[in-house]
Amino acid sequence: MIHIPKTEFASRIERIRESMKAEGLDVCFVYGDEYRRENLRYVSNYWPIFERGALLLPLTGEPILLAAPEGEEVCREMSAWQDIRLIPDFACVTVPDVIAYPQANYSSFRDVFKELKIRQAVRRIGIVGMDAMSHYVLETLRNSLPDCELLDANSMLFRARLTKSENEVACLKEAARIADAGYRALLKVAAVGRTELQLAAAAHEAAYAEGAENIVFCLVSSGARVGTIIGRATNKVIEDGDMVMAALAVQYEGYIATANFPFVVGTMAPAQRELINQLIEANERALACLKTGAPLAAPVRAVKGYFRELSVDRFDLYPPMHGCGVAEAESPYPDEQSEGTFAAMMTVNTDISLFGHPGGSNRIEEGFVITEDGYEPMSALVRDLCRQWKETGSISIE
C-alpha cells in the first residue's frame, strides 16, 4: 500500500524543530479539524471527524496529540504518535451544547502544558492554524497560558510543505489515478437527459471503488449554470449543446489531486469550441514554463499574456496555477509579481479558467511534479484528453 511511513513523520518533526529553534519558539501547537485538516494530517496523520485536534510539539521528546473522546479510537488508529490526550474543548464543532462523555479520561490545556514545563522552558508558543480555530478554543488556550506568548506560526508549515518527498509524490500520483477513474466515469455518463447529480454520482462511485478516502469536492454545472464558477451538482437536466464544468478532487492518504477538462454534451457551438481551444492552449503555455529554477511568475505571465493577446483577459478571474498536496490548493500560489523559483519536487496544479466568455465558462486543471528539466504529469487522463482535442478537435472515452 502506498502511504507515508512513520519514519517520514519523524523526519518532518525534526525539520520543524529546526525552524522552531531559528524562530525562538519553545513549543509548536498544530491545530486541525474536519474542515482544515491539512497541517494536522501533515504532522501526525490524524484527521478529526466532527471534532478538533492538535499536535503539541516541544523541542525535545515525543509529540503529544490532543484529541476529543468520540474520535479517540480513530485517532489511535491513524496517528503516527502514541501519546494521545483528550481535551474537552475539542469536542463536537457543530453544536453549542456541552456534551457529556462519562467514560472520557480528560486532560486540559493547562495540565498538558504544566507537564511540558517540567521538561523544558515554555515561553513562546507558535500556533499553526490560528486562523482556522474558533475564538472559543483560542481564548481557552490563551487563558490556560497567561505567562506565555502565542505567535502565528503558519509560515513554518507552509515552508515545510513546499517540496515533496518521494512518498508524498507517490500518494499524489495515486490520488490522481483515482481522480482519473472518477472523471472518466463522469464523462461516460454525460449525455442529454442526465442530471448534474447523476454525473457527480458516477464520479463518486468510481473514485471510492478505486480507493479514494474522501471526495474533497465534485463540482458539476451545465448550461447557464457554468457561470457559477464553483457550482455544486443539482437536479438540472443536461440539454443538447450544454457546456459542462466538472471538477473532481480526490483525497488519498491525505493527499489531494484534481481533474477538470472542459466539454460539451451534444452539439458544440463555434464559440464553445473556441473557449476550449483557448483554455488548452493557455494550459500548454503554462507547462512550457515549468522546470526547476524557472520563475514562479513565468506560467502566470504566459497565461495572462496569452489571454490579453486574445482580448479575453476580462474573463480571467484568478491566477492560473497553485500548489497541491495535503490541501487541494496550497503554496505556491503565484501571480505575475511573485518572486522565487520552482524547485524540484514541488507539486502544482494548472487551474486555468475563463468565466463569462462568449462560449461559456470553464476551466482546465491537472497536476504536475516539477523536475530538473521540466515536469511530470500526475493525471494521465487530462493529458490524454488534451492530446485528443489537439489532434482531432474532440474527445472520446473508451
Side-chain angles (χ1 to χ4, degrees):
M1 177 182 171
I2 302 167
H3 71 290
I4 307 297
K6 184 174 179 180
T7 52
E8 187 158 320
F9 285 101
S11 65
R12 291 175 184 179
I13 292 303
E14 291 311 310
R15 291 199 309 273
I16 294 168
R17 280 175 166 156
E18 290 304 311
S19 296
M20 289 168 60
K21 292 173 186 175
E23 297 187 20
L25 299 176
D26 301 308
V27 177
C28 188
F29 183 98
V30 183
Y31 173 83
D33 56 38
E34 184 175 7
Y35 312 102
R36 289 294 304 276
R37 56 195 175 275
E38 63 272 15
N39 287 318
L40 183 58
R41 188 78 188 263
Y42 183 80
V43 295
S44 71
N45 200 42
Y46 177 47
W47 170 26
I49 302 172
F50 307 131
E51 304 170 313
R52 305 174 174 96
L55 189 74
L56 200 57
L57 176 57
L59 286 172
T60 59
E62 180 164 322
I64 300 171
L65 189 53
L66 308 180
E70 196 167 356
E72 179 180 4
E73 293 310 312
V74 74
C75 178
R76 294 190 184 280
E77 179 182 67
M78 295 183 71
S79 174
W81 310 108
Q82 298 301 309
D83 192 347
I84 296 170
R85 317 289 179 90
L86 302 184
I87 304 293
D89 308 288
F90 275 177
C92 184
V93 301
T94 58
V95 298
D97 311 79
V98 176
I99 303 172
Y101 291 100
Q103 308 304 321
N105 181 20
Y106 277 130
S107 186
S108 67
F109 292 137
R110 192 181 300 275
D111 289 343
V112 174
F113 278 97
K114 182 179 179 180
E115 180 182 324
L116 276 185
K117 288 177 181 179
I118 297 172
R119 278 199 236 170
Q120 62 166 74
V122 179
R123 295 179 297 266
R124 302 182 82 237
I125 301 171
I127 309 293
V128 176
M130 187 181 289
D131 57 328
M133 66 177 62
S134 70
H135 176 75
Y136 165 77
V137 170
L138 181 58
E139 286 306 301
T140 302
L141 190 58
R142 288 189 195 279
N143 293 337
S144 301
L145 300 163
D147 55 342
C148 295
E149 183 180 6
L150 272 58
L151 304 162
D152 187 333
N154 277 357
S155 60
M156 284 201 315
L157 266 291
F158 292 150
R159 291 195 302 270
R161 288 163 40 201
L162 266 176
T163 57
K164 308 301 191 289
S165 68
E166 293 287 353
N167 289 320
E168 289 179 285
V169 169
C171 287
L172 278 165
K173 287 180 177 178
E174 181 65 2
R177 183 194 67 79
I178 297 168
D180 283 357
Y183 208 85
R184 186 176 289 108
L186 181 152
L187 289 170
K188 283 183 177 180
V189 302
V192 173
R194 296 288 176 84
T195 66
E196 295 169 351
L197 281 168
Q198 286 175 319
L199 271 63
H204 276 75
E205 181 179 9
Y208 279 122
E210 288 293 324
E213 69 175 7
N214 187 43
I215 306 297
V216 178
F217 58 74
C218 182
L219 309 176
V220 183
S221 55
S222 61
R225 290 197 67 247
V226 294
T228 58
I229 304 177
I230 53 171
R232 299 183 190 277
T234 70
N235 277 313
K236 179 194 172 298
V237 175
I238 296 171
E239 300 177 9
D240 182 52
D242 273 357
M243 175 162 278
V244 177
M245 202 296 290
L248 178 64
V250 166
Q251 179 176 302
Y252 173 83
E253 288 293 302
Y255 288 81
I256 302 168
T258 308
N260 189 157
F261 188 87
F263 65 95
V264 174
V265 174
T267 309
M268 187 182 306
Q272 292 173 325
R273 182 175 297 279
E274 180 180 46
L275 170 60
I276 295 173
N277 283 335
Q278 290 170 354
L279 290 171
I280 291 175
E281 175 60 25
N283 194 52
E284 297 304 317
R285 293 191 181 205
L287 298 187
C289 301
L290 296 186
K291 66 176 181 179
T292 299
L296 290 173
V300 184
R301 291 171 183 163
V303 171
K304 291 187 173 294
Y306 173 62
F307 286 158
R308 283 191 287 268
E309 289 173 19
L310 299 177
S311 298
V312 297
D313 50 304
R314 65 189 183 279
F315 310 124
D316 176 23
L317 303 187
Y318 52 81
M321 178 168 286
H322 57 73
C324 61
V326 286
E328 193 276 334
E330 60 181 41
S331 296
Y333 208 138
D335 58 25
E336 290 181 280
Q337 285 72 51
S338 291
E339 298 179 353
T341 58
F342 288 103
M345 300 298 279
M346 277 186 177
T347 51
V348 298
N349 282 3
T350 52
D351 186 358
I352 297 169
S353 62
L354 292 169
F355 289 97
H357 186 282
S361 300
N362 223 307
R363 61 160 62 86
I364 184 168
E365 185 166 5
E366 55 180 327
F368 301 90
V369 183
I370 304 299
T371 64
E372 290 294 339
D373 55 358
Y375 59 85
E376 180 183 354
M378 289 190 283
S379 169
L381 177 64
V382 177
R383 281 290 80 209
D384 183 56
L385 295 175
C386 288
R387 178 193 58 77
Q388 287 186 43
W389 182 270
K390 287 186 291 183
E391 290 178 356
T392 69
S394 62
I395 60 171
S396 65
I397 299 295
E398 298 301 326

